[in-house]
Each structure stands twice: as C-alpha cells, then as structure tokens.
Amino acid sequence: MKAYVFPGQGAQFTGMGKDLYESSALAKELFEKANEILGFRITDIMFEGTAEELKETKVTQPAVFLHSVILAKTLGEDFKPEMVAGHSLGEFSALVANGTLSFEDGLKLVSQRALAMQKACEITPSTMAAVLGLADNIVEEVCASIDGIVVAANYNCPGQLVISGETTAVEKACEAMKAAGAKRALILPVGGAFHSPMMEPAREELAAAIEATTFSNPICPVYQNVTANAVSDANEIKKNLIIQLTAPVKWTQSVQQMIADGATLFTEVGPGKVLAGLINKIDKEAVTANA
C-alpha cells in the first residue's frame, strides 16, 4: 500500500518551491492564491528570503505546508494515496492531500495555528530539547520527576525523543537525562514549547477556527499524531486535530501502525528528507522515496 508522509516545521530551506512555481502552471496559480489569502507575498520569502526570515513561525508553517500540498497537487494522476500521515504541522498537509480539508481552508488554519503558537510562546519562557539514546519510558520517567512543566513531545524514532516545557524545567531535565545515560540532551533553537501544556492558549484559539471549518470524509485514512491510528471519520479527525497542539506527536507509533496495516512504500512529500530518515530508523526494512 502507498503511504504518503508530510514534514513539519524545520524542513524549510531558502529557494523552496521555486522550481515548482517556474515549471507548473497549476503550482504558480496555487502559490499566487496563497499570497492573496495570507495578505503578503510568502513566495518572495520562500524563493529569495534569508534563513532568518524563513524561520519566523508565521512564515515557516505556511511555507512548509504550501511546498508539500502544491507538490502533491502537481503529481496529478500519479498521486494515489492509500494512507497519509504528517509530522505535527505536516498533519494539515496530509489532510488536504486526502481531501479532508480544501487547499484554502488548510492554509487559513495553518496560518492561524502559526500566529496562535507565536502568541503562546510569548507568555512564558519555554523551549524544547532533543534527547538521544534513551528508551521512551526512561525519558517519560525523568520528565515526571522534574519540578515544573516538561513532557515528552515528539516520539520521532526509537532513541530519539524531543521534550518540551518551561525553559528551567527543560534545562533540569536535560541534566537528568544525561545522568540517566542519554548520549545527548540538547536544547533546540525553537520559539517555544510545542506539543506541551504550554500551548493551551494556542489550542483554545485554534479550536474555534477548526470548529468553524468544513471537514469532509477523506479518500483514505490519516494516521493522526495524537492516536497513531487510522482515522477516516471527519468529526474524529477534527477532534484529534484540536488536541494535537498540547499532545505529543506519536510519529514512531504512527509509522509502526502504518506498516502493520500494510504500508509497503512511504513517499515523503515536501521539503527535505527528514521523515524518510526517521522511517528507516523505525523500521530498517521500510522502503522510502521522495516525491
């Protein structure tokens, strides 16, 4: 079965999408529509902007989404997903790809999500850190032992977890992870504590926007970050998407479930090859490709 996967924040690079814009009339039309919806020329930043400009949350999230979704749409008849999944932000790309959301609604939600997350980041000093070489349960136990808010946020692949929370709690957790035998525990250059309780103000704001958006039943199941299971019901997808901002990304578990359900080829759609790399670490036998 063909599985298509969509990357999240961090996959962006200067020049992303320019080749699509120049080689496809459909891509050009969709990029221009995106400029109109967003109210600024995101294409100028994607194609010519600096890494710093691209790193702004209000730019990064729509940019990665647009690259992924427009690339999927230019695949035409070749694009026949039997299952989809996206990492964090990538779940919105996956939901456009499988017909749950329209292109326009997906972009509006991603833009609102980015702005809401930005605002939430400004309330309390918070951050994320990558922990390498520790079992999931040890990471969870260490987080639970720390005073303050720090939780497992991204289950990326076995031995690679990202933790998230208040800056001081994350710093303490990093020291405790190293003491527990982690190969590395390093603070990431991110704007705040994504996929943690620190995102509750953003979740509330985004929930209202998601509730007001039309969700259709998809052409194929989406394996959602929150459950790591196949979901095809529009209302259930909506509910899980609202929880997503404050809940962990169960990427390892999602990929394992997709393989158990018959995925034979994982094609990454969007900038970079991060997910293909993670999938190969989750299952060495998995076959991966890039669109």
Side-chain angles (χ1 to χ4, degrees):
M1 288 175 79
K2 288 183 189 170
Y4 287 84
V5 293
F6 299 83
Q9 202 162 334
Q12 68 277 4
F13 62 90
T14 298
M16 61 190 284
K18 193 176 181 184
D19 52 339
L20 277 174
Y21 185 94
E22 290 171 349
S23 63
S24 161
L26 172 63
K28 185 175 183 177
E29 181 192 326
L30 290 170
F31 274 123
E32 289 300 343
K33 188 182 276 189
N35 287 334
E36 268 175 54
I37 290 169
L38 293 171
F40 67 97
R41 290 196 62 80
I42 193 169
T43 48
D44 292 353
I45 304 172
M46 289 172 70
F47 304 164
E48 316 291 345
T50 63
E52 274 309 302
E53 289 171 311
L54 258 182
K55 229 166 59 182
E56 270 189 89
T57 298
K58 73 163 190 175
V59 174
T60 312
Q61 294 197 26
V64 173
F65 167 87
L66 287 170
H67 190 284
S68 293
V69 168
I70 292 174
L71 176 56
K73 288 193 179 291
T74 60
L75 296 174
E77 286 297 299
D78 292 337
F79 187 70
K80 290 193 174 74
E82 291 167 281
M83 45 175 81
V84 295
H87 191 289
S88 187
L89 156 74
E91 189 158 289
F92 288 81
S93 311
L95 291 175
V96 174
N98 78 352
T100 305
L101 287 170
S102 69
F103 171 77
E104 294 82 356
D105 284 343
L107 178 58
K108 285 174 193 166
L109 285 178
V110 165
S111 177
Q112 285 168 299
R113 179 183 192 264
L115 296 171
M117 286 169 81
Q118 189 72 48
K119 271 193 270 181
C121 291
E122 287 158 12
I123 298 168
T124 310
S126 60
T127 192
M128 301 175 84
V131 180
L132 306 181
L134 271 189
D136 293 358
N137 63 315
I138 306 289
V139 174
E140 291 160 359
E141 283 165 21
V142 171
C143 286
S145 74
I146 304 289
D147 284 337
I149 296 172
V150 56
V151 296
N154 296 349
Y155 293 81
N156 285 334
C157 67
Q160 186 189 323
L161 245 80
V162 174
I163 60 172
S164 181
E166 293 165 325
T167 302
T168 50
V170 172
E171 286 167 351
K172 279 186 216 158
C174 283
E175 292 312 309
M177 298 290 177
K178 288 174 196 164
K183 283 182 194 162
R184 292 176 80 186
L186 64 163
I187 303 285
L188 297 172
V190 292
F194 306 146
H195 300 288
S196 83
M198 310 295 292
M199 285 291 118
E200 183 56 31
R203 189 197 66 78
E204 287 172 13
E205 197 173 317
L206 190 63
I210 288 173
E211 288 292 3
T213 301
T214 302
F215 279 56
S216 305
N217 285 325
I219 56 166
C220 71
V222 57
Y223 287 70
Q224 289 189 278
N225 293 176
V226 170
T227 62
N229 289 323
V231 187
S232 297
D233 176 73
N235 290 324
E236 198 181 334
I237 290 171
K238 187 181 272 196
K239 187 186 77 191
N240 291 334
L241 202 59
I242 289 169
I243 305 166
Q244 196 221 55
L245 269 187
T246 51
V249 174
K250 296 180 179 173
W251 187 251
T252 301
Q253 299 88 328
S254 296
V255 171
Q256 287 167 339
Q257 192 58 53
M258 291 167 95
I259 291 167
D261 291 348
T264 48
L265 172 64
F266 288 89
T267 303
E268 184 164 359
V269 188
K273 298 178 180 179
V274 173
L275 297 184
L278 293 178
I279 290 164
N280 289 134
K281 284 179 181 154
I282 293 165
D283 188 324
K284 292 188 172 45
E285 305 295 311
V287 182
T288 57
N290 283 79

